[in-house]
């Protein structure tokens, strides 16, 4: 079945780069997304990448997509304490509509000062 | 522009009771999706409504139901509550799907945290 997998925890020092990795199973996914969840809040879309792209850069965020390996990564440059949150990778499942995303279990990013 | 509003934010129920959660989407958004978030299972898709019709349904028992009104507001209902239903229930709205060049962004509310005792 469809599944999205992520490591559960990542700890970095302020100013370093963070790399959060994700593997997905559905090669027909149109878009792949990264969402951020801060404590007590809902999810907020950080960035997305269309499946025919290899890379997307958006200020401090860089998304890399390897379709052959079904691997997606999110790099946060110059990580700040305010980046501490849970980061979710998500894909659109085969035959699903936009509202039905498959999420990974989330990677908790801790940024140490 | 107001965001997605969910009510109530917190509620406590006992086993066997039922609960109704409400979601008001962003103005102009016609699609409303519901997700259950728990520490063990993560985010799981419950259902999606578009123009008052259920467009997709996740793998949840029939105790979980929902509906959407003509103004796009949505409610979900859980009957005969079980301890395992304790979770954060998140509602998300979006325009209308991936057609028309939409990127598929979901806008989430802050959730309704349900505790079943």
């Amino acid at each position: 079945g469809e599944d999205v997998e992520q490591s559960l925890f990542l700890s970095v020092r302020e100013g370093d780069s963070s790399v959060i990795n994700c593997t997905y199973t559905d090669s027909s996914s149109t878009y792949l997304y990264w969402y951020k969840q801060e404590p007590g809040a809902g999810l907020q879309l950080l960035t997305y990448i269309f499946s025919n792209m290899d890379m997307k850069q958006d200020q401090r965020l860089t998304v890399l997509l390897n379709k052959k390996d079904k691997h997606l990564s999110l790099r946060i440059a110059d990580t700040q304490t305010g980046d501490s949150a849970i980061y979710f990778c998500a894909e659109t499942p085969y035959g699903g509509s936009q509202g039905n995303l498959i999420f990974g279990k989330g990677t908790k990013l801790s940024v140490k000062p | 522009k107001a965001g997605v509003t969910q009510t109530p934010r917190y509620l406590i129920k006992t086993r066997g009771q039922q609960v109704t959660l409400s979601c008001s989407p962003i103005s102009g958004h016609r699609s409303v999706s519901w997700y259950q978030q728990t520490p063990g299972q993560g985010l799981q898709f419950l259902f999606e409504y578009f123009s008052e019709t259920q467009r997709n349904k996740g793998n949840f028992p029939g105790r979980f139901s929902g509906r959407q009104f003509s103004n796009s507001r949505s409610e979900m209902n859980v009957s005969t509550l079980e301890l395992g239903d304790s979770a954060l229930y998140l509602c998300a709205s979006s325009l209308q799907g991936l057609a028309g060049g939409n990127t598929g962004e979901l806008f989430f509310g802050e959730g309704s945290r349900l505790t079943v005792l």
Side-chain angles (χ1 to χ4, degrees):
Chain A
E2 296 142 347
D3 201 10
V4 175
E5 296 198 356
Q6 310 175 230
S7 52
L8 295 181
F9 301 99
L10 177 65
S11 180
V12 300
R13 292 220 170 267
E14 193 173 20
D16 287 350
S17 291
S18 307
V19 179
I20 302 172
N21 294 300
C22 165
T23 57
Y24 61 97
T25 55
D26 191 346
S27 57
S28 66
S29 290
T30 311
Y31 287 95
L32 293 143
Y33 307 88
W34 284 103
Y35 281 83
K36 176 183 179 182
Q37 186 178 34
E38 294 179 350
L43 276 69
Q44 177 189 8
L45 180 70
L46 270 182
T47 186
Y48 64 91
I49 188 166
F50 191 49
S51 56
N52 68 353
M53 297 168 66
D54 297 324
M55 186 184 88
K56 179 180 180 184
Q57 187 146 6
D58 186 359
Q59 299 182 339
R60 291 191 298 124
L61 306 177
T62 303
V63 179
L64 295 177
L65 175 60
N66 181 330
K67 285 195 74 174
K68 175 176 169 289
D69 296 336
K70 296 180 188 169
H71 182 265
L72 184 73
S73 68
L74 173 70
R75 178 177 179 270
I76 306 173
D78 187 25
T79 313
Q80 303 297 306
T81 54
D83 294 323
S84 293
I86 301 176
Y87 291 80
F88 293 90
C89 169
E91 65 169 347
T92 44
Y94 176 76
S97 60
Q98 170 214 332
N100 172 11
L101 297 184
I102 306 293
F103 285 88
K105 291 200 172 164
T107 299
K108 185 173 182 179
L109 174 64
S110 297
V111 182
K112 294 180 170 40
Chain B
K1 202 174 191 180
V4 177
T5 304
Q6 292 188 244
T7 56
R9 289 292 314 279
Y10 302 92
L11 66 166
I12 300 173
K13 294 283 188 179
T14 55
R15 277 181 299 175
Q17 287 188 309
Q18 72 160 13
V19 66
T20 299
L21 308 177
S22 178
C23 172
S24 293
I26 291 173
S27 177
H29 285 192
R30 296 167 62 190
S31 168
V32 173
S33 301
W34 289 90
Y35 290 82
Q36 182 196 63
Q37 186 178 23
T38 58
Q41 298 298 318
L43 279 153
Q44 293 188 287
F45 172 74
L46 280 157
F47 24 66
E48 179 196 6
Y49 287 88
F50 180 78
S51 294
E52 302 179 66
T53 301
Q54 189 179 83
R55 187 154 72 173
N56 270 302
K57 188 177 189 305
N59 189 24
F60 277 82
R63 299 185 298 107
F64 291 80
S65 63
R67 59 179 175 168
Q68 186 180 32
F69 302 96
S70 58
N71 62 357
S72 292
R73 191 178 70 86
S74 177
E75 288 181 347
M76 67 163 282
N77 183 276
V78 188
S79 62
T80 320
L81 283 165
E82 300 176 1
L83 295 178
D85 297 332
S86 294
L88 180 66
Y89 290 88
L90 291 165
C91 167
S93 76
S94 59
L95 278 170
Q96 59 180 8
L98 290 170
N102 290 324
T103 59
E105 179 175 2
L106 293 180
F107 294 82
F108 282 84
E110 292 183 314
S112 293
R113 184 166 294 282
L114 170 65
T115 300
V116 182
L117 302 176

